[in-house]
Amino acid sequence: RIAFARGTSEQSIFNTMIYVVRSLQSGKKIPLLLDEVKAFALKHNQLNHMGILQLCLAPVYKFLSSLSGITFDPSTLLPQLAVAPIHDVVQTALAKKETVYVRVAVVLGLGESLFLRDFANAYKIMTRYPKLFQMLDDRQQLRITEFEVTFIGGLLSFYWARETREPQWIQRGMNALAAFEDWSKLSPWDSLHRYHLLKAELHHSQGDTIRAIESFDAAIANTKKHHHSHHEAIACEWAAHFYDSIGNNDKTKEMIQKSHDAYIKWGAVKKAEALIKLLQVVPSVIPSTMQNQNQPSMSFL
């Protein structure tokens, strides 16, 4: 508000972007955040700040709408801008040399793919923009300022390690895990549950059932303790897939229900409704192998 009232255009744009992205990362309730995104869009449109509208607010709207089912009037600006594929948004940012927006757009696209379990699209994003993820190949390059892309990239790496058996994926996941082991000591509120979930996925990939269960339990407990309902939903959902892989149907159903409840709490109603349908068809709906060994497949969702 101060930046809009007294600051420069650059200050208002930068502060809006930081506020929205951080709100998304911290799991602010989706309906509330969408209202704020709409208010920001109206203000920036009045000031003719098309960059942040096209390259940040529209992708955020698309992400939150896909999870919640909440949509704005299709004749308004954000829904019109949100139809652009993430690749087009990134190419526009590159053409304008808006490197900050490039990273924001890519991470938003990757995050949306993670929550929707669209592994094929996530794979395309990571392989299309390899320079943005090359730090996962070297633990020494990982910085706490990159905690979100490190977390998402780490989870996806462990998934692809199981699906492809290619060694670079397990190494990437382990690099992300090592980073969060350090960061969880500096900022347990934001990082400890991420560390435990990555650790659970490592044990899952290694076939260590007992340690995987312990780490999933720790991840879920810490998301509850720190009130991260969006990551509680993710942790329970990934735990459901783990329990399905070891044939524990009761725990699979329990984790699906808990994930559904956490998604509802966050405001991701559309995602929750899709997830709860699985209770009617467990265990057969959760695939354990890839449909195409050359590329990670789409999930059942």
Side-chain angles (χ1 to χ4, degrees):
R1 291 178 180 175
I2 294 174
F4 277 119
R6 302 178 184 178
T8 64
S9 294
E10 289 77 12
Q11 289 172 330
S12 64
I13 291 170
F14 178 78
N15 281 284
T16 296
M17 183 173 63
I18 293 298
Y19 177 84
V20 170
V21 171
R22 185 55 183 149
S23 295
L24 185 60
Q25 292 172 342
S26 63
K28 175 172 282 193
K29 304 298 188 207
I30 290 179
L32 175 58
L33 184 52
L34 275 172
D35 284 343
E36 292 178 334
V37 167
K38 185 176 182 179
F40 281 129
L42 290 172
K43 187 66 175 181
H44 284 291
N45 190 35
Q46 292 173 356
L47 299 172
N48 199 30
H49 295 163
M50 289 304 298
I52 191 170
L53 286 164
Q54 184 177 15
L55 305 176
C56 179
L57 296 179
V60 169
Y61 164 75
K62 179 177 179 291
F63 176 25
L64 296 177
S65 180
S66 68
L67 292 175
S68 66
I70 299 172
T71 58
F72 297 161
D73 184 339
S75 66
T76 57
L77 187 59
L78 280 184
Q80 292 175 0
L81 293 176
V83 299
I86 192 66
H87 179 63
D88 291 350
V89 174
V90 173
Q91 291 306 307
T92 299
L94 287 171
K96 294 181 177 181
K97 298 182 179 180
E98 299 280 8
T99 56
V100 174
Y101 288 130
V102 171
R103 182 167 293 278
V104 169
V106 169
V107 174
L108 284 171
L110 199 65
E112 182 178 359
S113 297
L114 177 75
F115 278 101
L116 297 180
R117 296 187 68 83
D118 187 347
F119 297 115
N121 191 55
Y123 186 83
K124 290 178 182 178
I125 292 173
M126 290 188 73
T127 54
R128 181 172 281 173
Y129 309 106
K131 290 184 178 180
L132 296 181
F133 303 100
Q134 64 184 7
M135 76 283 191
L136 290 170
D137 295 318
D138 183 357
R139 166 64 186 95
Q140 300 306 313
Q141 292 187 32
L142 292 172
R143 300 289 182 267
I144 197 168
T145 52
E146 303 286 353
F147 74 94
E148 192 68 17
V149 70
T150 302
F151 175 61
I152 296 172
L155 285 180
L156 292 171
S157 292
F158 283 130
Y159 171 82
W160 289 322
R162 292 193 297 274
E163 295 296 314
T164 68
R165 300 301 174 184
E166 295 175 356
Q168 73 270 21
W169 292 117
I170 194 73
Q171 187 58 56
R172 282 185 159 196
M174 290 177 69
N175 286 340
L177 175 61
F180 271 100
E181 184 175 14
D182 293 337
W183 299 341
S184 64
K185 299 170 185 175
L186 298 173
S187 179
W189 189 276
D190 284 326
S191 299
L192 188 57
H193 65 282
R194 288 178 165 96
Y195 165 68
H196 285 301
L197 184 53
L198 287 167
K199 193 175 182 181
E201 284 298 300
L202 170 64
H203 294 319
H204 182 188
S205 300
Q206 294 175 330
D208 191 336
T209 299
I210 294 176
R211 290 185 178 179
I213 291 172
E214 291 174 349
S215 294
F216 275 120
D217 287 347
I220 294 167
N222 276 280
T223 59
K224 289 178 174 290
K225 178 181 179 181
H226 297 150
H227 309 291
H228 295 299
S229 57
H230 61 320
H231 285 161
E232 179 185 353
I234 281 284
C236 291
E237 185 175 7
W238 284 63
H241 284 263
F242 161 73
Y243 282 114
D244 178 76
S245 73
I246 62 174
N248 191 331
N249 296 341
D250 289 339
K251 287 295 290 187
T252 300
K253 292 179 179 180
E254 177 188 339
M255 289 296 110
I256 290 174
Q257 182 65 59
K258 287 184 176 181
S259 179
H260 164 272
D261 295 347
Y263 275 123
I264 289 291
K265 185 177 180 180
W266 183 31
V269 176
K270 185 177 180 179
K271 166 70 180 185
E273 290 175 347
L275 190 61
I276 202 65
K277 293 177 182 178
L278 299 177
L279 288 177
Q280 304 172 6
V281 286
V282 168
S284 62
V285 295
I286 304 184
S288 59
T289 59
M290 290 171 53
Q291 298 171 0
N292 182 345
Q293 291 297 320
N294 294 321
Q295 177 174 298
S297 63
M298 297 283 285
S299 155
F300 57 91
L301 293 182

